Amino acid sequence: MRLDYLTIFPDFFAPLELSLPGKAAASGLLDVRVHDLRQWATDRHHTVDDTPYGGGAGMVMKPEPWGEAFGALGVGAGTTVVFTTPSGEPFDQRLAAELSGRERLVFACGRYEGIDQRVIDHAREIAEVREISLGDYVLNGGEVAALAVTEAVVRLLPGFMGNADSLVEESHAEGGLLEYPVYTKPRTWQGREVPEVLLSGDHGRVAAWRAEEARRRTALRRPDLLHPSVLDDGSPIVRAVPADAGEILTLQRACWLQEALANDTLDIPALQESLDDVRAGLAEWDTWVVRRAGRLVAAARGKLEDATTWDIGRVMVAPDLQGSGLGRVLLEHIQAVAPEQVTSYQLFTGAASARNQRLYKKAGFRLRPDLPGPPHTVTLTKRR
Ligand code: ADE
């Protein structure tokens, strides 16, 4: 694989000569070339930036040096130009795997406020272009991002890693889970023991333990990986923030007024709540919401009732979107984010709320007449 780096800070790429990429370059697997963009700046000072049209803070990278550089490097068919930028698509293992199949990557590392848009448009005309972001934060330039992308891509090349198994089992590989915790000798360190199962020699038990730990870790740290938190239309299910309290109160009043009518009572706590009550609820419950076109259209929340029971509450969908499947997806989500130790779910709904009861029963919940809830309600439970 051929790798080119266009940068005004070539020294940033010294680490490419270290360790594995260095060895791969020496063995001919990689052909790595770092270029100082300023060599293609024609003025006496090798200027690569200028003030932005339309005004505003900072400087923009001029197009001419980039155009010259692409020409000199023969950027064209068979080349993928990677612009590292905070406004690019998020970099992940899937993208790393995709890029590892390319013949040649040219990394264009922007600085300042970015590169003149025409450079990207031009590159797209002569080659494949990917604009890639390392994450939702801003670095001073694209060099560190280009290094990170390089390392993730290059280690996937056949013949690069000594042990191909370590590619299969690691975090974000095929299973889409985070990696399980790992241990090595000594058996006891600072009074801490290695989990007994790993010393048992029972491969089946070890594999089961690792699978469970991977799932538990993922549920705790990255519930979004375990369960799709994006609806069919692309709107994400996200954790509520305190600023959502007002909209949640509005949604709650709309939904519980329907409940009040269906159950012929105004004696419903959710209907009586104030904005402060909703704020307090947000602090106490793990609350998730869906926004569509900027509007908060659905919410649900969960809380540990006891060590193993996940109490689900306030599953709400805006009246104009009820029946669209939002409630079902949200209900699945609020179960999926329950902590690992949870073995059963519990919720209650209006005794006369036929539509709600249908939704819950379809999702596997069962009526529990033996577990009375608040007035005018029925309790439903489900085993995890
Ligand atoms: N350049 C500046 N910030 C960046 C980021 N988050 N990802 C990729 N390139 C960047």
Side-chain angles (χ1 to χ4, degrees), residues 92-285:
D92 60 11
Q93 192 63 23
R94 183 196 51 75
L95 187 46
E98 191 184 331
L99 294 178
S100 73
R102 300 293 192 271
E103 246 167 66
R104 182 181 185 198
L105 302 178
V106 173
F107 287 92
C109 305
R111 283 263 149 183
Y112 314 115
E113 293 306 307
I115 303 173
D116 187 303
Q117 179 61 35
R118 291 166 295 181
V119 174
I120 296 115
D121 299 342
H122 165 64
R124 203 165 261 133
E125 252 172 43
I126 58 172
E128 185 198 22
V129 164
R130 302 303 281 257
E131 293 179 80
I132 295 177
S133 167
L134 217 50
D136 292 339
Y137 43 82
V138 179
L139 305 167
N140 275 336
E143 284 78 6
V144 168
L147 277 175
V149 171
T150 300
E151 186 152 323
V153 167
V154 160
R155 61 193 292 287
L156 298 177
L157 295 176
F160 184 79
M161 295 278 282
N163 179 4
D165 281 353
S166 50
L167 284 182
V168 176
E169 286 203 6
E170 67 198 355
S171 292
H172 301 297
E174 297 300 308
L177 297 182
L178 303 184
E179 202 178 4
Y180 47 77
V182 293
Y183 299 84
T184 186
K185 290 176 254 331
R187 236 176 114 147
T188 307
W189 178 73
Q190 296 199 349
R192 294 168 193 275
E193 298 288 334
V194 171
E196 179 278 327
V197 58
L198 299 179
L199 310 170
S200 69
D202 180 335
H203 299 308
R205 274 184 67 214
V206 169
W209 181 84
R210 285 179 168 165
E212 182 50 28
E213 286 296 311
R215 220 198 71 80
R216 199 172 66 84
R217 226 182 212 193
T218 311
L220 211 60
R221 300 178 185 173
R222 295 290 306 278
D224 57 309
L225 293 179
L226 268 191
H227 189 80
S229 55
V230 176
L231 305 177
D232 292 345
D233 69 343
S235 40
I237 306 176
V238 294
R239 269 215 166 85
V241 294
D244 291 328
E247 279 185 283
I248 291 175
L249 179 67
T250 306
L251 182 64
Q252 193 163 299
R253 290 202 171 147
C255 291
W256 264 268
L257 193 57
Q258 282 184 318
E259 285 292 281
L261 293 169
N263 291 276
D264 200 21
T265 175
L266 288 175
D267 182 18
I268 298 178
L271 200 52
Q272 316 294 340
E273 280 191 351
S274 68
L275 189 57
D276 278 342
D277 294 329
V278 174
R279 288 197 181 112
L282 283 176
E284 198 187 335
W285 293 71

Side-chain angles (χ1 to χ4, degrees), residues 3-72:
L3 299 171
D4 291 276
Y5 300 86
L6 280 165
T7 173
I8 56 167
F9 292 112
D11 290 348
F12 255 102
F13 294 93
L16 287 177
E17 281 158 32
L18 300 173
S19 173
L20 283 174
K23 271 193 230 155
S27 73
L29 189 62
L30 288 180
D31 178 1
V32 178
R33 305 185 197 183
V34 180
H35 313 274
D36 187 344
L37 181 73
R38 288 192 197 276
Q39 68 187 280
W40 289 288
T42 47
D43 68 315
R44 209 155 52 92
H45 302 290
H46 301 288
T47 311
V48 292
D49 60 337
D50 209 333
T51 53
Y53 274 123
M59 301 290 271
V60 174
M61 294 193 94
K62 293 159 64 62
E64 303 94 320
W66 291 100
E68 293 294 320
F70 291 162

